[in-house]
Structure formats: structure tokens, C-alpha cells
Amino acid sequence: MGNVSPASNFEVLLSSSQIAARISELADQISSDYGGTTPHLVGVLKGAWIFMADLIRHLSLEATVDFLGIQSYLSGTTSSGEVKITKDLDASIAGRDVLVVEDILDTGHTYHYLRGVFSAHQPKSLKLVTLLDKASRRTIPVQADYVGFRIPDVFVVGYGLDYNQQFRRLPEVRILPDIG
Ligand code: IMP
Ligand code: MG
């Protein structure tokens, strides 16, 4: 795996303070919408774990958590729609108010697949919160119920998002240079 170039040279798309401010707003909205219930947050690994950790600390209601591990098969930097589950859920979601937590919606293939898997297990409700949304890239009509930021058609890394497992640790979201 070749290193691209030092990440400090990548253009910052979203600073850590912008991200923090938006997550606080999202958490207020979610806390209000789920008032009186205990939502079950299901984080999609690995990209979403940093976002989920920050989001849950801003909620003003109790929430339970679980994680689903997946690998999307990529052609270049685009998902093919083939998804492999690498870690299953620990607990049943039947009858639960499930809020899926994703890092990014791109073509929509991955969430389209996951929505089918989750729905089959009869949650009471099923919603999606995604930190980032590249709406212009959608080839399957899926939408998130809560969106942190709509972003243009650029490949981004940082704040949990990777390129070949690199750059997840960056505290901000940066644009990976020279990639479609
Ligand atoms: P989709 O199936 O095309 O919606 O792609 C969703 C998955 O592709 C995300 O969960 C990410 O893992 C990955 N992905 C899509 N765009 C980016 C990006 O800009 N940076 C890092 N990962 C991305
Ligand atoms: Mg992902």
C-alpha cells in the first residue's frame, strides 16, 4: 500500500470545529424526535465509529448501541454494491427503534443493501443518520433521515473515513488529491 502524500497537504473540507457544531445540532434534533423512547444506535464499521462516539455524547436521552461490520467491494473508489458482513449484530433489533449510523452515503448501494437486511429483522422503526452525503453520486434512490453535511463529488478522508485504511485518525475531513 503506497502512501499518497502527507495528509497535512490535503485541502480541509470540514474543520473539526465545524464537525463538532453540526453534530451537536444533529443530536438535538435526534433527541427531540426520539423523545420518550430509547433508540438503538447501530454503527456501521469501520467508518462510522468516530462519528457515533461524538454523536452519542450529545444525545439527551438514553440509547443502546451495537455495531455491524461490513466490507463494501470497491471498483476504484466506488462501491460495487456487493457487501460482505464481517461482524454481525450482537442483539436482536426486533421491535427496536433502530437508528443506523453511517459515515457517508455515496452511490447508495451499501445502505440499500443494509436497509434490506435490517428491515428483515422487524425493527419498530428504521432511520439513518449519515455524517456526509454525496447526493450527486447516487445511483440508487436512498436517502438519509439526518444528514450532517452535503458534500460535492470528491473523495474525502479523516474523521473515521479512510483510503485503503489510511487517514482515519485525522480530526477533520480532508479531500484526497488526485482521485476521482
Ligand atoms: P455507497 O455504497 O456508494 O453509498 O458507498 C458507501 C461506502 O463507500 C461508505 O460507507 C464508505 O465506506 C465508502 N466511501 C464512499 N465515498 C467515500 C469517500 O469519499 N471517502 C471514504 N470512503 C468513501
Ligand atoms: Mg462505510
Side-chain angles (χ1 to χ4, degrees), residues 49 51 55 58 91 104 122-123 131 133 171:
W49 109 93
F51 172 42
L55 182 69
H58 284 89
I104 186 164
Q122 269 125 41
L131 177 68
D133 186 1

Side-chain angles (χ1 to χ4, degrees), residues 87-163:
K87 184 217 162 288
D88 205 347
L89 297 178
D90 290 339
S92 167
I93 59 168
R96 297 299 311 274
D97 290 301
V98 173
L99 178 60
V100 179
V101 183
E102 266 280 27
D103 52 357
I104 186 164
L105 263 188
D106 185 25
T107 64
H109 277 122
T110 304
Y111 190 66
H112 175 77
Y113 172 83
L114 292 181
R115 191 174 58 186
V117 172
F118 290 129
S119 303
H121 290 89
Q122 269 125 41
K124 182 172 173 210
S125 66
L126 182 63
K127 285 189 178 185
L128 171 65
V129 55
T130 187
L131 177 68
L132 305 175
D133 186 1
K134 286 194 224 176
S136 68
R137 296 251 311 160
R138 206 78 90 250
T139 56
I140 298 200
V142 296
Q143 270 188 314
D145 300 277
Y146 306 95
V147 173
F149 300 91
R150 291 184 209 288
I151 64 166
D153 181 8
V154 288
F155 197 88
V156 291
V157 294
Y159 199 73
L161 289 100
D162 73 310
Y163 173 67

Side-chain angles (χ1 to χ4, degrees), residues 2 6 41 50 66 74 122 136:
L41 270 54
I50 292 180
D66 203 347
L74 299 182
Q122 269 125 41
S136 68

